[in-house]
Amino acid sequence: MRLRRTATALAVSAALLGAGGLPAAAQTGQNAQARAAQAAQSHQAVQSHQAAPVAAAPHRAAAPVAAGTVTTPDGRTYLADRQGRALQLHGLNLGKTDTVTEAGIAELAASGFNLVRLNIQWQKVEPRRGHYDTGYLRYLGRVMDWADRYGVLVLVDWHQDVFGPAFGFNGIPAWATRTDGIPYEPLPGDDWFANYFQPAVGAAFRHLYDDADLRAAQAAAYTKVAATLRGHRSLLGYDLFNEPFGPFTGDPTDPATQIENSAAMERGRLADLYRRLIAAVRTADQDAWLFVEPTVLIGQGVPTQLPGFSDPRHGSDRIGYAPHYYDTAVENGADWNPADGFIEAYEAVIRAYPAAHRMPVLVGEWGPAKATGKGNAELIRRQTASMRGFATGWALWYDCHAAEGGGYCAYDADGRPAPGKEPVFAAYAAAIAGTPGAESYDPATHTYTLALATTAVSRCAWTELKLPATAFPHGARVSVTGARGALVHQAPGEARILLPATPPGRHVTLTVTAR
C-alpha cells in the first residue's frame, strides 16, 4: 500500500511496540500459523539434473525456472531451480498506473534485478461483467514476452487499494461492487487508508467474500489470466490478493479490535478466498507459484492467523508467502527512528508461519517513500539486511524515476539509484549451488562476500552473482577460498562460479572486490 497509512494503525503500532515491546506471544511467534546492455550479455543456461557434469558458459539471458524449494538447516526455505540451486530474487513493482514498456524491463534487468512484481487489476481484465478486455490481456502477454527476453521472472500481483474504482481507487470492478446502498464520501487529506474502515467499503468486501456469483466471477477472471499467461518461462506465479482487507466491526482506533478483526478474516473469509483462487488458477496452470498475503498488521508485529493451504496440482505444493514490510510511522511521513523496534518486531513474527508450512517467503512490497533522511536511509539498509535472513526474494515499491529522491521511486531523474536507496542496487547471489550462508555487501569498500556449504549440486551447477555497475562501476574481481579447481566466468554485471573438484560439506567463501 505505499502512501500514508491510517492513524488508527499507529495506535496498533504504539500498543505493540510501546513500553514493553511485543506481547509475549508475538515475541515467541507461537501464535503464528505452522529486478539494456548488461542484461543482454551472456548468462548461464539452465541445465537439468541430467546435464553434463560441468555446465557450459552461457549465451543469453534466461530466467530460472522455480521448480521447487530447498530448506537450509536454520529453517529458511528458498525457491529452487531444476538443478536444486537456491534462488534469490531482487526486483521492483511496476504496472499499477503506468504502462510497462520493453525499455523499462530492459532497464530493470540492466540494473541487476531479476524480478518484476507486475501489478494488475480485475477492473482492467474484466471492465464489464462477462467481457474480458483482449487488448489488456495482449498487453500482459507482451510484458511477459519482454521478461522472457531479458531473463527476469514475473510475479503477477492481483492488486487492489480500497477495493476499487467505485471508491476512487483501483482493483475490483465497479460492477462487482455492492454497498447495500450505504453512502460513501472519500475522506479528505492524505490518509487514504482510513477509507477501508468506511461501512460502504466493508459491505463491498463482505459481498465479494460471501456472494456466490461474485465468487464465481472472480475465480473465472483469475482462470482467464492464468490461461493467457501460462507457458511463459518468465512467469513465476501469482500474488493472489494484494493487501487483503474486509468488513470491519467495532472501533477501528482500538488495537485489540483491529487484531481481532484481522485474525477472524484470516481464519475465515480470506482463507476461503485463497482456497477458491488457488483452485481457479490450477484449472489453467499447474506450474505457477501461488502466493498468499496476510493482512497489513504483519508490519506492526501481529502474527498472521492464516491456516496452511493445500495445492491441488500434481506434484509438490507450489504455494508461497508474500507479506509486505512497511513501518506505519514512516508511511505517515516520519523519518525512521531505529529505536521504534520495527525491524525487531517484524522479524519476531515473520518466520513462524512459513517455517511451519515449508513456504518460501517473497516480500511483495517494502521501502519508504523517500530515503533522503538519515533515518529512512538507515531503514533501507537495515531492511535489505533483514530480508537476507528470512526471504527468498523481494520487490521494492516502486519502479519509477523522480528528481531529488521524491516519492517511492527507485531511480532518480537521471536513472541512478535514488538517494538513500543504493542498498537496493547492491550485489547479490541470484542462484546458489550449495547451502546458502552469510551474504553481505560493503558499499564503502565495494566488497561483496557469500559463504556457502558445498553440496552435490556445487560440482555440476554454477553459482550466479549479480554485480551491477552501481556496486562495481569499474568492474570486479572474484576470488574463491575453501575450494579446489574453482572455475570463474565473468561478464559485464555478473559472475558465475563452478566448484567441480570440491566435495560436499566444504565451507567456501566467494569474495568480489572492485577493480
Side-chain angles (χ1 to χ4, degrees), residues 381-437:
R381 189 191 69 80
R382 289 277 301 276
Q383 285 190 284
T384 54
S386 171
M387 289 183 287
R388 284 195 290 267
F390 63 82
T392 194
W394 47 256
L396 180 80
W397 191 272
Y398 189 79
D399 184 3
C400 53
H401 298 67
E404 300 178 355
Y408 285 82
C409 293
Y411 299 92
D412 69 10
D414 296 320
R416 297 173 299 219
K421 296 185 178 179
E422 294 85 356
V424 175
F425 295 78
Y428 66 99
I432 304 171
T435 302

Side-chain angles (χ1 to χ4, degrees), residues 23-403:
Q27 290 173 349
T28 62
Q30 292 175 352
N31 285 344
Q33 305 294 318
R35 172 77 53 176
Q38 292 177 350
Q41 298 295 325
S42 59
H43 284 248
Q44 172 59 47
V46 175
Q47 306 290 315
S48 70
H49 284 298
Q50 290 74 39
V54 177
H59 292 287
R60 74 167 281 122
V65 175
T69 61
V70 293
T71 300
T72 63
D74 63 1
R76 289 177 295 169
T77 295
Y78 292 80
L79 291 168
D81 67 2
R82 289 170 177 163
Q83 294 172 280
R85 299 181 301 175
L87 302 179
Q88 295 193 123
L89 308 179
H90 290 191
L92 304 175
N93 280 264
L94 72 166
K96 178 184 174 182
T97 57
D98 55 319
T99 299
V100 181
T101 65
E102 181 176 3
I105 298 293
E107 178 186 50
L108 181 147
S111 296
F113 298 113
N114 61 358
L115 176 68
V116 170
R117 184 173 183 257
L118 179 64
N119 314 138
I120 73 170
Q121 295 107 43
W122 183 8
Q123 71 189 72
K124 294 181 179 180
V125 172
E126 192 179 3
R128 301 193 308 274
R129 186 163 192 165
H131 172 77
Y132 297 112
D133 188 333
T134 56
Y136 185 68
L137 295 174
R138 286 194 298 268
Y139 156 75
L140 295 180
R142 289 195 299 273
V143 175
M144 301 302 300
D145 289 340
W146 298 329
D148 291 344
R149 183 174 303 161
Y150 291 100
V152 300
L153 291 173
V154 178
L155 177 64
V156 178
D157 160 44
W158 282 95
H159 207 85
Q160 69 81 33
D161 290 317
V162 193
F163 199 81
F167 304 114
F169 296 93
N170 62 80
I172 315 304
W175 61 261
T177 305
R178 296 171 180 168
T179 64
D180 298 330
I182 300 171
Y184 169 84
E185 287 291 336
L187 297 175
D190 294 333
D191 191 10
W192 64 272
F193 187 78
N195 288 289
Y196 272 109
F197 298 98
Q198 293 208 48
V201 177
F205 273 107
R206 184 175 63 253
H207 284 290
L208 176 67
Y209 289 133
D210 295 352
D211 293 4
D213 63 327
L214 294 184
R215 291 180 175 185
Q218 186 182 29
Y222 279 54
T223 302
K224 181 68 174 180
V225 170
T228 300
L229 301 184
R230 67 186 175 197
H232 280 275
R233 183 185 182 91
S234 59
L235 179 62
L236 173 61
Y238 298 89
D239 188 332
L240 294 173
F241 202 60
N242 181 71
E243 294 187 344
F245 214 81
F248 193 94
T249 59
D251 180 4
T253 67
D254 176 35
T257 301
Q258 284 213 13
I259 294 170
E260 181 180 348
N261 275 265
S262 175
M265 185 180 72
E266 288 186 326
R267 290 192 296 259
R269 287 184 167 108
L270 183 58
D272 289 342
L273 174 137
Y274 283 145
R275 293 184 186 105
R276 291 192 299 273
L277 299 182
I278 288 169
V281 175
R282 284 292 177 246
T283 63
D285 191 332
Q286 290 281 306
D287 297 324
W289 281 84
L290 307 178
F291 288 83
V292 298
E293 286 194 38
T295 68
V296 297
L297 289 187
I298 195 77
Q300 305 310 317
V302 179
T304 184
Q305 296 297 311
L306 284 172
F309 296 95
S310 298
D311 192 341
R313 72 181 297 270
H314 302 296
S316 60
D317 289 355
R318 291 188 178 180
I319 298 178
Y321 188 49
H324 293 181
Y325 199 175
Y326 287 120
D327 180 276
T328 297
V330 172
E331 288 290 290
N332 280 274
D335 196 33
W336 185 57
N337 177 9
D340 73 359
F342 165 64
I343 299 288
E344 294 82 0
Y346 190 90
E347 291 182 344
V349 301
I350 199 63
R351 292 182 176 90
Y353 175 75
H357 302 288
R358 300 291 290 270
M359 302 166 77
V361 177
L362 198 160
V363 178
E365 293 184 25
W366 69 282
K370 295 176 68 173
T372 52
K374 181 178 179 181
N376 281 357
E378 177 65 8
L379 176 59
I380 288 280
R381 189 191 69 80
R382 289 277 301 276
Q383 285 190 284
T384 54
S386 171
M387 289 183 287
R388 284 195 290 267
F390 63 82
T392 194
W394 47 256
L396 180 80
W397 191 272
Y398 189 79
D399 184 3
C400 53
H401 298 67

